Amino acid sequence: QVQLVESGGGLVQAGGSLTLSCAASGSMFAINAMGWYRQAPGKERELVATITSVGRTNYADSVKGRFTISRDNGENTVYLQMNSLKPEDTAVYYCNADIPTTLASLEVWGPGTLVTVSS
């Protein structure tokens, strides 16, 4: 059983910064891609950023130049550095990981962490 736990959410003023962390634990021999998604009130969950096991990154246009995703493979942890935050970044942020198994890839989600950006 693999679990993801996010941390680092909170309340910040517009223009401020936050860093989210997500640690994976449990029985696994590797992690493929990891990523961050977010869901604002009344909206669908959307991609924020992803990173492959070799560090290739992908970002939503809305966060390019402001957010940076990184990972520590030794610690099974992925980070999201968020700068120049805007009120529209307010959402629950979810961590996601693609875990290979002997049968197929397993997609695991964390419970989410709330980020609130005040104007």
Side-chain angles (χ1 to χ4, degrees), residues 15-107:
S17 298
L18 278 176
T19 299
L20 304 182
S21 301
C22 171
S25 63
S27 178
M28 56 193 163
F29 61 88
I31 303 177
N32 292 332
M34 301 185 79
W36 289 96
Y37 293 73
R38 67 187 181 186
Q39 187 166 18
K43 295 188 177 181
E44 294 186 352
R45 190 174 298 188
E46 63 176 5
L47 168 74
V48 176
T50 60
I51 185 167
T52 68
S53 59
V54 295
R56 186 173 295 117
T57 59
N58 178 55
Y59 295 92
D61 288 342
S62 59
V63 306
K64 282 181 181 177
R66 300 189 297 123
F67 291 10
T68 301
I69 188 171
S70 61
R71 65 189 283 175
D72 183 332
N73 290 333
E75 297 294 328
N76 293 327
T77 300
V78 63
Y79 304 94
L80 186 69
Q81 174 67 43
M82 305 184 292
N83 298 325
S84 302
L85 282 161
K86 305 175 181 180
E88 52 263 43
D89 294 317
T90 295
V92 177
Y93 283 71
Y94 297 92
C95 177
N96 172 273
D98 179 43
I99 310 293
T101 70
T102 54
L103 296 176
S105 291
L106 178 66
E107 188 176 37

